[in-house]
């Protein structure tokens, strides 16, 4: 590459490599770098020619291509130039401009492509211009192509590449990523400990001094213990400690102002910027906790728990509410039974000495405790514990009136049930713990569910007032409980309770009861016709089973019809002795005895239903009724009643069918007295007033003249008037009706009515045909009702019962 080297006033520039070396002679002339670049830019622009493509010979046909190694040197343009614009950069020309007319043009980004309009060229002279100031931080280089064509647009030269480089100038200050940086370092850190890093960037070319940033510390606040506790790496921005002596309890935070300068830190020519670094000094446990006094005191009532006796105060200069500050208290001596504990108040860090186990004034009137306090976190290396972390605590116990105490509570005794009233069971006495005060103890009953007991109020003797029954509902698992109260005459009065448990020993005082009370068996003895029986006894072992079951000897029919066989100690089986027993309900007495000493017996009744059974041995429906207590006569009577009821229902159904058949067979023409069609049948009444009674009967009368209808204009007529003959759309019927099927006749009439546009609505007056004056149908008076009886009407007899009356009138012969 070709370099443009300038030597102006002792300054050497290499514009292609964008490097420069300054001599002190330059500063003496006080010429700025931007002015120097401007002078370089204003020098005579060079001429750039197209590489040769042809070489002339003896003839035009002898022309041949010639390859040349030609590299166009780059064009250097300083950024932020002040102009004037447009400013000429270079001149593009072709060697053939003397022979033919040439037109020059440039293409590429910055010319005809975005960002367009920065560069242009004079198409005649080939002078290339820049039209505006350039910014290297936006675009550092441009690649354009120069073209040469003739007047007809034909290419004359191959395009050449133009490279334009924007020369960087120091026009951007370093910018910190944050205006405020936060860092931390532990107190007591050694010199050289890393604290934090700050970073600044410069938009200028980082390969030149314009973009090379250097750091330094401008100030430190506060200056304790020395003004320069920190230093910064000028190239990386790392902040480290310089000296020892960081103490959070003295200075908890430092504020440092950091400066970043480009031009490799040259303060005379570089651009600078500043940021703030906040350095927090983190706490270490370098201060042990110290109790404020060497001796604490307090007092506590006896028999009280969860009571704060005294508060132990402590001082710790470490960071509050941290493990280095939180205090932990321990009792090292004076409390072998563990009556006290010390809890830490999380807010004040005080130690709350609390009673967790009741103290007894009669046994200990005072306590002397030794307490040690430490931190939740261990002390830092090299820090010794203070002697002030140990203190003594004196605790006085206050005497209070304590309630009487039953030595054995609950107290259990054993007695047989059924002891008579007035029996002394035991002495349930209490003791007063207050040995230093003489007090009298009295007793009363607090709870006695069955009201069986009483207590002597002076000595606590328990006596029965009723029989003790183990089978009582108040006895649970043979145990009966009663509660008594003992109280003294102190001030204030104190009382205590005691529970007496009486274990009742069972005696045989309850006879067994037969189970079940009811059963069912077949009237005929079968192998599976058995009744399993057992017994229930309210007593306990050994006064219950095995039981003895037997039938009484009276009445004699019991043992004659029934028998009992033993299955096991608690179960027996009752069955029929005879092969057949009439169905019914039988009450069988059974004597049950237990195994007590002496044994108790009970005569129990079992109600047995004897009924006929089916093949499976189950009672049939009739048998169930019989077993319910009804005799054979009652069952027969019930069956007869059911048969009579069914017969009545059947007769009623037959009578109703006969009536229906007679009604259908009744002739159509009946006597007037039997005909209900002439009677008034009221179906419903829908009249609403005079409007319903105002009928226009003239609409039902046939008009004598048709003039008022014919004279109406076309298309204006009522839908309920008879049609005018001329408007009829179907043919007029012939005067003599022809015979035919009546169904076809009706269908034809229906079809004619459906297709007739003059047909009125269904709710209007319908005129089906006109049979008045001038009608094609003629008059019905032509029918002769008095003609002779030559016609035979006997066929009316074949029309069925509805036409029987008509057949009798016309088919009866001369007598009719």
């Amino acid at each position: 590459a070709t370099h443009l080297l300038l030597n102006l006033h002792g300054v050497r520039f290499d514009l292609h490599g964008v490097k420069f070396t300054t001599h002190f002679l330059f500063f003496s002339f006080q010429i700025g770098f931007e002015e120097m670049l401007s002078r370089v830019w204003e020098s005579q622009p060079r001429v750039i020619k197209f590489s040769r493509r042809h070489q002339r010979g003896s003839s035009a046909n002898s022309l041949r291509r010639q390859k040349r190694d030609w590299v166009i040197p780059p064009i250097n343009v300083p950024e932020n130039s002040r102009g004037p614009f447009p400013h000429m950069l270079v001149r593009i020309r072709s060697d053939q401009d003397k022979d033919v007319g040439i037109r020059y043009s440039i293409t590429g980004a910055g010319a005809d492509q975005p960002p367009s309009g920065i560069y242009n060229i004079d198409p005649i002279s080939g002078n290339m211009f820049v039209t505006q100031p350039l910014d290297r931080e936006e675009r550092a280089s441009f690649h354009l192509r120069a073209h040469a064509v003739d007047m007809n647009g034909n290419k004359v030269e191959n395009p050449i590449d133009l490279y334009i480089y924007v020369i960087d100038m120091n026009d951007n200050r370093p910018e910190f990523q944050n205006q405020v940086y936060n860092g931390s370092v532990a107190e007591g850190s050694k010199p050289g400990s890393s604290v934090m890093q700050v970073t600044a960037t410069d938009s200028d070319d980082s390969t030149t001094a314009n973009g090379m940033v250097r750091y330094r510390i401008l100030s430190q606040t506060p200056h304790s213990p020395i003004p320069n506790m920190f230093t910064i790496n000028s190239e990386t921005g790392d902040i480290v400690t310089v000296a020892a002596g960081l103490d959070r309890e003295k200075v908890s935070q430092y504020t440092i102002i950091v400066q970043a300068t480009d031009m490799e830190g040259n303060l005379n020519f570089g651009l600078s910027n500043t940021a703030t670094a906040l350095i927090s000094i983190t706490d270490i446990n370098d201060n042990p906790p110290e109790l404020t006094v060497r001796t604490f005191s307090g007092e506590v009532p006896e028999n009280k728990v969860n009571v704060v006796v005294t508060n132990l105060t402590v001082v710790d200069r470490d960071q509050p509410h941290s493990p280095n500050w939180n205090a932990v208290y321990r009792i090292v001596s004076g409390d072998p039974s563990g009556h006290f504990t010390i809890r830490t108040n999380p807010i004040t860090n005080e130690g709350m000495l609390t009673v967790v186990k009741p103290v007894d004034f009669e046994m200990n009137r005072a306590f002397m405790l030794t307490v040690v306090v430490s931190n939740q976190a261990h002390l830092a290396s090299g820090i010794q514990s203070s002697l002030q972390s140990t203190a003594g605590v004196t605790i006085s116990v206050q005497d209070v009136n304590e309630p009487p105490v039953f030595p054995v509570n609950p107290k259990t005794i054993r007695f047989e049930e059924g002891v008579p009233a007035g029996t002394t069971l035991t002495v349930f006495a209490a003791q007063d713990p207050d040995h230093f005060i003489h007090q009298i103890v009295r007793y009363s009953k607090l709870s006695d569910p069955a009201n069986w007991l009483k207590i002597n109020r002076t000595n606590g003797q328990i006596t029965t007032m009723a029989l003790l029954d183990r089978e009582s509902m108040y006895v649970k698992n043979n145990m009966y409980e009663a509660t008594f109260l003992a109280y003294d005459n102190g001030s204030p009065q104190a009382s205590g309770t005691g529970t007496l448990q009486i274990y009742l020993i069972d005696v045989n005082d309850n006879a067994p009861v037969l189970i079940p009370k009811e059963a069912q068996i077949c009237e005929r003895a079968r192998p599976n016709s058995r009744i399993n029986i057992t017994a229930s006894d309210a007593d306990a072992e050994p006064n219950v089973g095995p039981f003895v079951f037997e039938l009484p000897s009276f009445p004699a029919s019991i043992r004659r019809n029934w028998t009992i066989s033993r299955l096991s100690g608690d179960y027996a089986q009752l069955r029929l002795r005879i092969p057949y027993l009439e169905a019914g309900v039988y009450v069988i007495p059974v004597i049950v005895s237990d195994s007590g000493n002496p044994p108790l017996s009970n005569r129990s009744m079992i109600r047995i239903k004897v009924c006929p059974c089916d093949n499976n041995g189950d009672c049939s429906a009739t048998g169930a009724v019989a077993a319910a207590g009804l005799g054979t006569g009652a069952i027969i009577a019930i069956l007869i009643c059911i048969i009579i009821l069914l017969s009545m229902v059947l007769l009623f159904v037959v009578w109703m069918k006969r009536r229906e058949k007679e009604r259908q067979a009744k002739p159509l023409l009946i006597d007037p007295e039997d005909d209900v069609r002439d009677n008034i049948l009221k179906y419903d009444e829908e009249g609403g007033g005079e409007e319903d009674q105002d009928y226009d009967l003239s609409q039902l009368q046939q008009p004598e003249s048709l003039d008022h209808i014919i004279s109406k204009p076309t298309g204006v007529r009522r839908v309920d008037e008879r049609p005018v003959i001329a408007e009829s759309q179907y043919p007029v019927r012939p005067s003599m009706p022809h015979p035919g099927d009546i169904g076809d006749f009706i269908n034809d009439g229906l079809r004619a009515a459906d297709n007739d546009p003059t047909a009125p609505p269904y709710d209007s007056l319908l005129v089906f045909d006109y049979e008045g004056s001038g009608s094609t149908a003629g008059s019905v008076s032509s029918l002769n009702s008095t003609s002779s009886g030559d016609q035979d009407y006997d066929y009316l007899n074949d029309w069925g019962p509805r036409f029987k009356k008509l057949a009798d009138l016309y088919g009866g012969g001369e007598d009719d």
Side-chain angles (χ1 to χ4, degrees):
T2 302
H3 297 266
L4 178 61
L5 300 179
L6 302 178
N7 193 338
L8 300 176
H9 303 281
V11 181
R12 178 179 175 85
F13 292 87
D14 187 348
L15 298 182
H16 177 63
V18 198
K19 295 181 181 179
F20 58 89
T21 304
T22 59
H23 299 287
F24 291 102
L25 180 62
F26 170 77
F27 302 114
S28 62
F29 286 100
Q30 298 183 355
I31 301 176
F33 180 62
E34 183 178 355
E35 182 179 355
M36 179 63 67
L37 289 178
S38 178
R39 292 184 180 182
V40 174
W41 193 26
E42 292 174 357
S43 61
Q44 183 66 28
R46 67 176 183 268
V47 177
I48 297 176
K49 295 184 178 181
F50 287 91
S51 58
R52 292 182 181 179
R53 183 175 65 158
H54 305 288
Q55 191 173 26
R56 297 185 180 275
S58 58
S59 63
N61 296 331
S62 63
L63 295 178
R64 61 182 180 89
R65 298 179 60 88
Q66 180 180 6
K67 182 176 180 181
R68 301 180 62 187
D69 294 329
W70 180 259
V71 178
I72 304 300
I75 304 170
N76 297 308
V77 180
E79 66 172 336
N80 302 322
S81 174
R82 298 178 181 176
F85 295 100
H87 183 79
M88 181 177 174
L89 297 179
V90 293
R91 179 184 177 191
I92 308 297
R93 67 178 294 271
S94 173
D95 293 339
Q96 301 185 40
D97 57 357
K98 299 178 180 179
D99 301 331
V100 296
I102 302 297
R103 292 292 181 267
Y104 302 96
S105 64
I106 56 175
T107 60
D112 61 341
Q113 299 177 13
S116 58
I118 297 179
Y119 302 98
N120 58 27
I121 189 170
D122 189 328
I124 304 299
S125 63
N127 295 334
M128 181 176 169
F129 299 90
V130 60
T131 63
Q132 61 188 37
L134 302 181
D135 188 356
R136 192 203 66 84
E137 285 70 43
E138 291 183 2
R139 193 179 183 98
S141 64
F142 297 88
H143 178 203
L144 304 178
R145 304 196 77 181
H147 306 270
V149 296
D150 58 15
M151 300 302 292
N152 297 323
N154 298 318
K155 182 172 67 173
V156 176
E157 301 282 359
N158 289 328
I160 59 174
D161 292 321
L162 302 177
Y163 294 93
I164 302 175
Y165 294 104
V166 182
I167 302 175
D168 182 48
M169 301 183 67
N170 190 19
D171 57 343
N172 291 278
R173 293 179 179 273
E175 295 292 338
F176 283 95
Q177 294 180 356
N178 302 309
Q179 280 302 113
V180 178
Y181 290 84
N182 292 283
S184 62
V185 62
E187 62 175 330
S189 296
K190 298 179 180 180
S193 300
S194 177
V195 179
M196 60 191 302
Q197 182 183 27
V198 296
T199 304
T201 58
D202 196 315
S203 300
D204 291 326
D205 190 355
S206 60
T207 61
T208 67
N210 296 338
M212 296 181 180
V213 180
R214 298 295 182 264
Y215 304 93
R216 72 190 187 100
I217 295 177
L218 295 182
S219 64
Q220 168 193 307
T221 306
H223 293 169
S224 176
I226 60 176
N228 299 317
M229 288 293 297
F230 306 94
T231 186
I232 188 170
N233 188 308
S234 62
E235 295 184 2
T236 62
D238 292 322
I239 299 176
V240 296
T241 59
V242 176
L246 293 175
D247 190 353
R248 190 204 65 85
E249 287 72 39
K250 295 180 179 179
V251 179
S252 61
Q253 187 181 68
Y254 289 91
T255 302
I256 295 178
I257 305 300
V258 180
Q259 184 184 53
T261 306
D262 57 13
M263 299 295 291
E264 296 183 300
N266 191 315
L267 299 178
N268 294 324
F269 304 102
L271 301 178
S272 302
N273 216 335
T274 59
T276 302
L278 301 178
I279 302 176
S280 299
I281 309 302
T282 59
D283 183 48
I284 63 172
N285 194 10
D286 56 345
N287 294 280
E290 299 177 356
L291 293 164
T292 55
V293 295
R294 300 302 301 271
T295 303
F296 296 88
S297 62
E299 59 182 18
V300 58
E302 64 173 336
N303 301 323
K304 295 290 185 179
V305 293
N306 296 325
V307 176
V308 178
V309 179
T310 185
N311 289 325
L312 310 179
T313 56
V314 71
V315 174
D316 195 322
R317 291 179 297 173
D318 289 323
Q319 184 176 358
H321 307 290
S322 68
N324 300 329
W325 178 82
N326 295 335
V328 178
Y329 300 87
R330 292 182 294 112
I331 299 174
V332 295
S333 65
D335 185 24
S337 300
H339 291 280
F340 305 95
T341 188
I342 303 178
R343 300 185 179 97
T344 304
N345 188 323
I347 299 176
T348 62
N349 213 22
E350 294 180 349
M352 300 179 293
L353 183 63
T354 309
V355 182
V356 293
K357 185 178 179 180
V359 295
D360 190 356
F361 176 80
E362 286 70 27
M363 297 185 64
N364 294 294
R365 297 189 180 185
F367 292 88
M368 294 294 296
L369 308 180
T370 301
V371 177
V372 175
V373 63
S374 60
N375 284 128
Q376 185 177 349
H378 295 290
L379 287 174
S381 178
I383 305 299
Q384 300 295 328
S385 177
S386 173
L387 296 177
Q388 296 182 358
S389 61
T390 303
V393 182
T394 302
I395 302 175
S396 300
V397 181
Q398 298 175 342
D399 185 24
V400 297
N401 185 24
E402 299 177 76
V405 178
F406 290 90
V408 180
N409 189 18
K411 183 177 182 180
T412 304
I413 59 175
R414 296 172 65 90
F415 263 87
E416 286 188 353
E417 63 172 331
V419 295
T423 301
T424 300
L425 300 181
T426 186
V427 175
F428 197 27
Q431 299 175 357
D432 193 346
D434 297 316
H435 302 304
F436 302 101
I437 304 174
H438 179 69
Q439 297 180 135
I440 300 174
V441 179
R442 294 289 182 263
Y443 303 92
S444 64
K445 185 170 63 173
L446 189 62
S447 172
D448 184 12
N451 198 25
W452 289 342
L453 309 174
K454 66 178 180 180
I455 187 170
N456 189 298
R457 69 182 301 267
T458 58
N459 59 10
Q461 180 176 312
I462 307 297
T463 309
T464 62
M465 296 189 302
L467 293 177
L468 304 182
D469 185 8
R470 191 195 69 86
E471 289 73 38
S472 172
M473 62 180 296
Y474 302 106
V475 178
K476 307 296 182 184
N477 297 326
N478 301 331
M479 194 73 71
Y480 179 77
E481 288 188 357
T483 306
F484 299 93
L485 182 68
Y487 52 92
D488 59 21
N489 60 346
S491 179
Q493 188 181 68
S495 61
T497 60
T499 301
L500 179 65
Q501 295 179 340
I502 305 174
Y503 185 87
L504 296 176
I505 303 172
D506 181 50
V507 296
N508 193 16
D509 57 347
N510 292 278
V513 178
L514 186 68
I515 298 175
K517 297 293 185 182
E518 295 183 356
Q520 183 175 287
I521 196 171
C522 296
E523 62 183 358
R524 297 186 182 276
R526 296 184 179 184
N528 57 351
S529 296
R530 304 287 189 270
I531 299 174
N532 293 330
I533 58 176
T534 185
S536 174
D537 197 325
D539 294 323
E541 294 287 347
N543 298 319
V544 287
F547 300 104
V548 176
F549 303 90
E550 58 181 348
L551 294 174
S553 57
F554 182 83
S557 60
I558 300 299
R559 291 193 174 184
R560 185 174 62 250
N561 297 336
W562 304 89
T563 182
I564 290 180
S565 59
R566 185 184 182 89
L567 293 178
S568 65
D570 294 332
Y571 291 89
Q573 197 171 75
L574 179 64
R575 58 187 176 84
L576 280 174
R577 180 186 292 271
I578 60 177
Y580 174 78
L581 182 65
E582 185 178 358
V585 179
Y586 298 86
V587 179
I588 309 302
V590 178
I591 299 175
V592 186
S593 302
D594 59 21
S595 298
N597 186 18
L600 293 181
S601 300
N602 183 28
R603 183 186 177 95
S604 299
M605 299 295 180
I606 179 172
R607 189 168 179 266
I608 301 177
K609 298 178 182 180
V610 180
C611 61
C613 297
D614 54 17
N615 295 331
N616 297 326
D618 299 327
C619 277
S620 60
T622 306
V625 176
L630 299 178
T632 306
I635 295 174
I636 295 174
I638 292 175
L639 294 176
I640 293 175
C641 291
I642 293 175
I643 292 173
I644 293 174
L645 182 60
L646 293 175
S647 300
M648 293 178 63
V649 173
L650 182 59
L651 290 174
F652 179 75
V653 172
V654 172
W655 179 75
M656 289 296 295
K657 287 185 174 294
R658 185 185 180 99
R659 288 277 299 177
E660 179 66 20
K661 185 176 181 181
E662 290 179 355
R663 187 180 63 83
Q664 293 179 358
K666 198 171 184 179
L668 181 62
L669 300 177
I670 59 176
D671 296 334
E673 59 269 17
D674 297 331
D675 189 7
V676 298
R677 291 179 294 176
D678 294 336
N679 298 331
I680 298 176
L681 302 179
K682 182 178 180 182
Y683 295 97
D684 201 353
E685 182 175 351
E686 300 179 354
E690 295 181 356
E691 292 81 3
D692 292 344
Q693 308 300 327
D694 188 13
Y695 301 118
D696 185 11
L697 300 180
S698 62
Q699 299 296 328
L700 303 177
Q701 298 175 0
Q702 177 61 45
E704 295 294 336
S705 175
L706 302 178
D707 296 338
H708 66 288
I709 296 177
I710 299 174
S711 60
K712 283 186 176 182
T714 303
V716 181
R717 58 188 303 273
R718 287 178 50 175
V719 296
D720 56 352
E721 294 179 346
R722 65 178 177 84
V724 182
I725 300 302
E727 296 178 358
S728 178
Q729 296 184 3
Y730 47 86
V732 180
R733 297 176 184 175
S735 60
M736 293 299 292
H738 57 82
D741 184 36
I742 188 64
D744 296 336
F745 176 79
I746 294 175
N747 291 330
D748 293 339
L750 179 61
R751 191 160 41 252
D754 291 338
N755 297 326
D756 187 7
T758 63
Y762 66 92
D763 57 349
S764 301
L765 177 62
L766 302 180
V767 180
F768 294 97
D769 207 348
Y770 181 70
E771 298 181 354
S773 177
S775 174
T776 58
S779 174
V780 297
S781 61
S782 60
L783 298 178
N784 186 6
S785 60
T786 60
S787 61
S788 63
D790 294 339
Q791 189 173 357
D792 185 9
Y793 296 99
D794 292 338
Y795 62 88
L796 294 177
N797 294 322
D798 299 332
W799 287 11
R802 295 181 179 271
F803 296 91
K804 187 176 181 302
K805 194 71 173 179
L806 186 61
D808 292 341
L809 294 176
Y810 291 93
E814 296 177 357
D815 294 337
D816 295 335

